[in-house]
Amino acid sequence: MHETLAYLPQILPAYIAYLIAVASPGPAIMAIIGTSMTHGRKAGMSISLGIFGGSMTWAIAAAAGLATLLQTYAMALELLKIFGGIYLLYLAYKAFRAVRAGGELPTATEGPKTPSFRSLVLRGYGIHVTNPKAIFAWLAIIALGMPQGAPASVAVLIIAVCCTTGFLVFMGYAILFSTSHALKVYRNARRWIEGAMAGFYCFAGIKLLTSNI
């Protein structure tokens, strides 16, 4: 344990980098915000759980060296990029349909129908795990906090601390944007918010499809 703690000066910059990355708006955060405002706290926390699972998957993969494997087999990375871009465009289409539907926000007794726990978790997981940039972000964090020759326990500590923080951030967004004040803002600016989400997902999907990773 003492040997692991000796690497804290290297771990701290990696943690700060992760904290900035995880709290910054992106497809995952936008999904949490949109779901929490539309379907409430439980739904927002459900999709957050899926996103957290995707983050854990990439964290473990980065520590295990999967990024190097994906770089070796370029076709696998290319397919992952295409699938992720198409999935984001699909989310953009669904958000755009909500904008076109318009109308007043339904009351809790009449809709909108909340997706099942399973579908929300899978949606969150799909958003995060189909973004190949996430593994390179994790790879950079692991590399930054784990210098050459460091024991495996250092990687375990980085993943444990960062993933705990990520879980709290994701759930925090879900709780914050499911409050009565957030719902009031959503009711007053529903079309603008859903339009912004549609545009964001579309931009993110096209950027992912056309980027050189």
Side-chain angles (χ1 to χ4, degrees):
M1 184 64 179
H2 183 271
E3 183 184 9
T4 302
L5 294 178
Y7 289 89
L8 283 178
Q10 287 78 33
I11 295 174
L12 184 59
Y15 175 72
I16 294 173
Y18 175 79
L19 187 61
I20 294 171
V22 76
S24 301
I29 297 300
M30 290 296 290
I32 294 171
I33 291 173
T35 302
S36 299
M37 281 185 160
T38 307
H39 300 293
R41 181 167 300 175
K42 184 177 179 180
M45 295 178 77
S46 297
I47 199 169
S48 297
L49 191 61
I51 290 168
F52 172 74
S55 183
M56 279 286 292
T57 298
W58 282 132
I60 295 170
L66 182 59
T68 304
L69 182 65
L70 288 174
Q71 286 178 318
T72 303
Y73 297 96
M75 181 58 71
L77 182 59
E78 191 66 24
L79 289 174
L80 186 61
K81 184 182 77 169
I82 292 171
F83 185 79
I86 292 174
Y87 187 68
L88 287 172
L89 290 177
Y90 167 72
L91 293 178
Y93 167 72
K94 291 190 68 175
F96 181 70
R97 282 188 62 187
V99 174
R100 289 290 301 271
E104 294 296 320
L105 185 65
T107 62
T109 57
E110 62 183 4
K113 183 180 179 181
T114 302
S116 67
F117 171 78
R118 180 175 180 272
S119 65
L120 285 168
V121 170
L122 289 176
R123 181 186 302 178
Y125 188 81
I127 288 172
H128 213 61
V129 85
T130 56
N131 184 1
K133 290 186 178 180
I135 193 172
F136 292 107
W138 266 108
L139 182 64
I141 290 166
I142 295 292
L144 181 62
M146 189 175 177
Q148 188 173 7
S153 57
V154 174
V156 173
L157 179 61
I158 293 171
I159 292 174
V161 173
C162 288
C163 284
T164 300
T165 301
F167 181 82
L168 294 175
V169 169
F170 296 147
M171 292 299 173
Y173 270 111
I175 293 170
L176 176 63
F177 285 93
S178 61
T179 60
S180 57
H181 178 70
L183 291 175
K184 183 179 179 181
V185 171
Y186 179 71
R187 287 178 182 273
N188 293 333
R190 181 187 177 194
R191 291 174 68 92
W192 288 101
I193 292 171
E194 290 174 343
M197 287 185 63
F200 181 86
Y201 283 136
C202 186
F203 170 78
I206 292 173
K207 185 176 181 181
L208 185 57
L209 286 170
T210 57
S211 63
N212 293 318
I213 300 177

